[in-house]
Amino acid sequence: MTAMRRFQAYIDGAFVDGEARFASLDPSTGEPWAEMPEAREADVDRAVRAADRALREGEWPKLNATQRGKLLYRLADLVAAKAQDLAELETRDTGKIIRETSAQIAYVADYYRYYAGLADKIEGAVLPIDKPDMEVWTRREPIGVVAAIVPWNSQLFLAAVKIGPALAAGCTLVVKASEDGPAPLLAFARLVHEAGFPAGVVNVVTGFGPACGSSLTRHPLVAHVAFTGGPETARHVVRASAENLASTSLELGGKSPFVVFADADLESAANAQVAAIFAATGQSCVAGSRLLVEQSVKDRFLAILKEKAERVAIGAPLDMATEVGPLCTARQRDHIQRLVDRSADAGARIVTGGRTPEGPGNYYPPTILDCDGADAPGLKEEFFGPVLSVVSFETEAVAVALANDTAFGLASGVFTTNLAKAHRMVRAIRAGIVWVNTYRAVSPIAPFGGTKLSGHGREGGLAAALDYTRTKTVWLRTSDDPIPDPFVMR
Ligand code: NDP
């Protein structure tokens, strides 16, 4: 038996063991493979205090924005250089396939580059004030200590969209990795250290939601919580942050519609649908998990999809040939099976998949549920797995109504060759992202986020960096005359 790998937390510039330890399971075998440091309230408190000190004292607040940007460029280069190692760790610890983690983590470096470049472009403004003898301007100052909380899927990516803009703005952070698959973020902390960020600027801990996550979100020194996860946890986060009125940005789940009109290029749309629901084994917040297809092409489109779903290579996540690997946890696989069963009980027809396979590992096959005529719970609730629910429509108005018939509002896809129809759909769909004739494209330059139960706030783009700043307004009187009547507001 090979020895268990041991990981450490990163607090105040030092690598430390947590108050306790827990085992991380390999999703492809269900066996423990590494020991993780478990942070509880005392570790979290040390990390937040370190971040608070680093914000106010020492080297970090003395750096100018260009110098902060240079540190971020260094971090980006280190992430790029270590991308393959980080990808293997993420694959090992979360089961996300190596084909995806290798490409995604190489791209994570570009997120740090983007925010490195933005650091010295965050500007205040001189205001054309409506009073005589006054100069008035705004400064953009760091919002304070940021708690960044991420779920298991794409931890390095989801952390980068928080760490990059927060550091560009001059904030300090405590990052909480998920208890499921924290290895890549704990390894990333070593690159932060190597890049030369002063102690306490970035702290990385992991631990369980109630003890670690909630002591972080309710900590009085935390000014902003940047959270990615499910809506139920988000409610806990908002309640905890109400203690000291910290601001929040919430990137939550989705039940995103994928709308295929009869005039679409069906082969291309089917490939995009495969990417939308089976890539990352469906563990993607933007998963296009509700296929809305025009009735006249439904049978043809479902036949193409079924054929593609059944040809997907299911296998070991570290194998480059694998297209669908195991789910991150057995808990997640069991949740998916229960929701498939409830949907089938409600009348959904299983087109393909739908059964947990025998054998080790958290595998679940690509699954398609035809929900026409069924009030299937899978049409409303997030599977967070490789399960597609299908409904047909006959008119554009019904397609819009179905697309918006969800408590979520993160992403959506529209497939049509009719330009006017595409524009009408873009306007009508209530979601933070609309992809037209494509799906699952992301970039550091493009804002990302949702509405309704998918949360609020945007990650990516210039505005995300501004969200980590507070505006300070400065009034400077330019007159040498004594201040007149003090009882009149001027
Ligand atoms: P959870 O909401 O369960 O967990 C997210 C993070 O919150 C984890 O680090 C978790 O820790 C932590 N946490 C748990 N309880 C608390 C608490 N009381 N206070 C503070 N933090 C806590 O999400 P899942 O792990 O289930 O992740 C899947 C969800 O994330 C899906 O809904 C998915 O759609 C969404 N998501 C959204 C994205 C977006 O950008 N919009 C992107 C990716 C995923 P622990 O793991 O230790 O429990």
Side-chain angles (χ1 to χ4, degrees), residues 139-265:
R139 293 166 49 80
R140 290 271 183 183
E141 298 190 346
I143 199 164
V145 175
V146 173
I149 301 181
V150 293
W152 77 73
N153 65 315
S154 309
Q155 295 203 41
L156 286 172
F157 174 75
L158 296 171
V161 293
K162 299 170 178 57
I163 298 170
L167 292 178
C171 297
T172 58
L173 302 101
V174 178
V175 183
K176 182 206 167 296
S178 171
E179 77 201 39
D180 299 315
L185 257 180
L186 296 170
F188 162 83
R190 300 210 168 254
L191 306 185
V192 171
H193 191 76
E194 199 179 328
F197 284 89
V201 170
V202 180
N203 305 271
V204 183
V205 298
T206 186
F208 301 106
C212 178
S214 105
S215 46
L216 178 56
T217 48
R218 65 166 190 265
H219 199 292
L221 293 176
V222 165
H224 179 79
V225 184
F227 173 80
T228 299
E232 207 38 57
T233 318
R235 290 190 182 96
H236 286 290
V237 167
V238 170
R239 275 194 288 268
S241 63
E243 280 302 308
N244 59 337
L245 303 179
S247 54
T248 56
S249 59
L250 305 172
E251 294 291 344
L252 312 178
K255 197 72 212 175
S256 301
F258 186 106
V259 187
V260 177
F261 286 98
D263 60 36
D265 175 337

Side-chain angles (χ1 to χ4, degrees), residues 88-100:
E88 281 173 24
L89 271 183
E90 181 157 346
T91 294
R92 187 78 206 272
D93 212 18
T94 67
K96 186 166 166 147
I97 61 170
I98 192 74
R99 250 157 97 164
E100 169 131 10

Side-chain angles (χ1 to χ4, degrees), residues 37-173:
E38 184 196 336
R40 295 180 184 163
E41 199 164 346
D43 279 340
V44 169
D45 183 58
R46 273 199 305 130
V48 176
R49 287 184 190 286
D52 182 58
R53 262 195 316 279
L55 186 73
R56 292 177 292 104
E57 302 164 11
E59 287 308 303
W60 183 244
K62 291 191 199 128
L63 296 183
N64 62 40
T66 308
Q67 290 167 319
R68 286 202 304 272
K70 282 183 181 162
L71 279 174
L72 271 164
Y73 275 122
R74 209 176 297 156
L75 180 61
D77 289 345
L78 287 167
V79 170
K82 293 280 181 198
Q84 195 53 28
D85 294 352
L86 292 169
E88 281 173 24
L89 271 183
E90 181 157 346
T91 294
R92 187 78 206 272
D93 212 18
T94 67
K96 186 166 166 147
I97 61 170
I98 192 74
R99 250 157 97 164
E100 169 131 10
T101 53
S102 320
Q104 190 180 51
I105 294 169
Y107 198 33
V108 161
D110 282 355
Y111 278 74
Y112 286 109
R113 280 196 193 102
Y114 177 80
Y115 285 106
L118 264 188
D120 57 10
K121 285 141 202 99
I122 298 173
E123 298 171 347
V126 177
L127 307 184
I129 204 70
D130 57 342
K131 313 232 179 258
D133 305 329
M134 287 284 189
E135 278 294 328
V136 182
W137 69 96
T138 56
R139 293 166 49 80
R140 290 271 183 183
E141 298 190 346
I143 199 164
V145 175
V146 173
I149 301 181
V150 293
W152 77 73
N153 65 315
S154 309
Q155 295 203 41
L156 286 172
F157 174 75
L158 296 171
V161 293
K162 299 170 178 57
I163 298 170
L167 292 178
C171 297
T172 58
L173 302 101

